[in-house]
């Protein structure tokens, strides 16, 4: 009997669905690149079942709620040996941001996958405000939210011994050649970099036996003109779609920033965010939140931008 094919499932949002890496009228992305590099190279037209089965369950616009309630059940039916869980930026762009709810949903998702024996892939992410170059009163609230989300992901990475990347590193964020014209998604070179960075620690665990994905991009990074065109056309549409949800809340948060800055009490906003994060992390420490090990310090297995 032929050995069972290695199964890799990708969960998440537009970053994992491949936005920013266009091929043949669709999207490819880092997960597809990584999936193609987990098994040995196959000659064109080779007969027999592929040694790797890859399925991308990620959906553009997905929230952590969508991953837990819709993607995880489908992935469990798929029976993955490796599962990537990369989600959360869309949650930071919603007025109903709740770091405790996000933490619990991510924990339950990771627990369900790990309980089936899947090796998990996770990553922390840069905040949208810095990527878009928003003014400080608008950018700082988003930065607080993303830092809280990343802290939760770090804690879960330690708990579940995930293969973890640091995509919030300044060197990664600052290299514009890695990003698409929208400044929110990696371009082809960025997707290739993510795939290669995940491949190395998976190979160390014996889960990737193929050559790493190439870092050579087929397309040039977007020009400054392309970036400006996106901001003036599709970017304007993106902002308009957020106006009914995020923008009123963001303007309120920006107003709070300005008032506290004028009073010299900006530290209070940071303290409130830290308290909310502490409560969220405390729920992860509860034995009721997960059947696996309690939180403990962990060493990330891979770093982005080093």
């Amino acid at each position: 009997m032929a050995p069972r094919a290695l199964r890799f499932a990708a969960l998440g949002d537009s970053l994992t669905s491949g936005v920013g890496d266009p091929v043949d009228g669709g999207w490819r992305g880092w997960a597809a690149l990584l999936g193609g590099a987990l098994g040995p190279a196959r000659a064109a037209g080779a007969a027999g079942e592929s040694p790797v089965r890859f399925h991308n369950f990620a959906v553009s616009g997905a929230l952590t709620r969508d991953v837990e309630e819709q993607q995880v059940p489908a992935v469990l039916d798929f029976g993955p040996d490796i599962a990537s869980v990369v989600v959360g930026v869309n949650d930071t762009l919603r007025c109903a941001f709740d770091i405790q709810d996000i933490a619990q949903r991510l924990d339950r998702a990771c627990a369900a996958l790990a309980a089936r024996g899947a090796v998990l892939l996770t990553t922390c992410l840069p905040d949208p405000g810095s990527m878009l170059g928003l003014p400080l009163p608008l950018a700082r609230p988003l930065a607080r939210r993303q830092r809280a989300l990343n802290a939760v992901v770090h804690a879960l990475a330690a708990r579940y011994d995930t293969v973890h990347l640091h995509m919030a590193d300044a060197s990664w964020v600052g290299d514009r050649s890695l990003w698409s014209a929208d400044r929110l998604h990696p371009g082809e070179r960025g997707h290739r970099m993510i795939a290669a960075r995940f491949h190395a620690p998976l190979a160390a665990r014996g889960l990737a036996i193929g050559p790493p994905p190439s870092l050579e991009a087929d397309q040039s990074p977007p020009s400054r003109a392309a970036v400006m065109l996106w901001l003036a056309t599709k970017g304007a549409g993106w902002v308009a779609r957020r106006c009914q949800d995020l923008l009123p809340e963001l303007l309120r948060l920006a107003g709070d920033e300005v008032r506290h800055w004028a009073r010299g009490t900006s530290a209070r906003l940071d303290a409130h965010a830290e308290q909310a994060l502490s409560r969220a992390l405390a729920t992860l420490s509860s034995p009721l939140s997960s059947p696996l090990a309690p939180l403990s310090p962990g060493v990330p297995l891979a770093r982005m931008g080093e």
Side-chain angles (χ1 to χ4, degrees):
M1 177 181 293
R4 175 181 180 271
L6 181 75
R7 300 189 179 195
F8 170 32
L11 301 83
D13 53 29
S14 57
L15 187 150
T16 300
S17 71
V19 173
D21 182 24
V23 290
D24 299 328
W27 302 111
R28 177 178 52 187
W30 69 266
L33 289 165
L34 177 61
L38 294 177
R42 286 165 56 87
E49 183 181 1
S50 170
V52 177
R53 287 187 60 191
F54 167 67
H55 195 297
N56 199 333
F57 294 86
V59 176
S60 183
L63 304 170
T64 53
R65 178 186 66 243
D66 302 316
V67 168
E68 181 197 9
E69 296 179 357
Q70 300 174 23
Q71 296 181 24
V72 167
V75 170
L76 292 177
D77 289 340
F78 178 67
D81 302 291
I82 303 171
S84 62
V85 183
V86 181
V87 68
V89 170
N90 289 318
D91 293 85
T92 70
L93 298 173
R94 297 296 187 273
C95 63
F97 177 79
D98 184 340
I99 189 59
Q100 183 166 318
D101 179 69
I102 291 169
Q104 292 173 337
R105 288 184 180 278
L106 284 176
D107 189 24
R108 290 194 294 264
C110 290
L113 295 166
R116 295 288 186 90
V119 173
L120 302 182
L121 312 184
T122 56
T123 179
C124 57
L125 298 166
D127 71 271
S130 65
M131 296 303 299
L132 290 171
L134 296 179
L136 281 178
L138 296 172
R140 290 193 67 184
L142 292 179
R144 284 194 194 92
R145 291 180 172 189
Q146 189 63 50
R147 285 198 299 268
L149 174 63
N150 286 343
V152 166
V153 174
H154 280 295
L156 294 176
R159 164 174 276 186
Y160 296 104
D161 188 27
T162 75
V163 175
H164 186 69
L165 299 186
H166 289 253
M167 286 176 58
D169 284 358
S171 58
W172 162 254
V173 174
D175 187 349
R176 292 300 182 183
S177 70
L178 296 173
W179 296 92
S180 66
D182 66 13
R183 299 189 182 186
L184 291 173
H185 298 94
E188 181 192 354
R189 183 166 173 256
H191 279 285
R192 288 185 176 278
M193 179 75 74
I194 296 170
R197 292 297 176 112
F198 271 131
H199 183 276
L202 285 173
R205 294 192 182 195
L207 292 171
I209 59 177
S214 171
L215 296 177
E216 293 296 324
D218 298 321
Q219 304 178 53
S220 300
S223 64
R224 182 174 181 82
V227 171
M228 297 306 295
L229 179 62
W230 184 90
L231 291 173
T233 55
K234 294 182 180 180
W238 182 87
V239 172
R241 290 191 296 273
R242 291 290 180 267
C243 283
Q244 294 182 345
D245 180 31
L246 174 67
L247 192 55
E249 173 73 359
L250 191 55
L251 291 176
R252 183 190 69 79
L253 294 173
D256 288 343
E257 289 285 344
V258 172
R259 284 192 295 273
H260 279 278
W261 175 82
R263 298 169 184 168
T265 57
S266 296
R268 292 182 183 177
L269 294 174
D270 294 327
H272 290 159
E274 290 171 359
Q275 291 166 4
L277 174 60
S278 295
R279 290 192 293 269
L281 293 176
T283 66
L284 300 184
S285 300
S286 168
L288 298 178
S289 67
S290 170
L292 300 186
L295 295 175
S296 59
V299 179
L301 298 178
R303 293 191 65 88
M304 181 64 67
E306 288 188 350

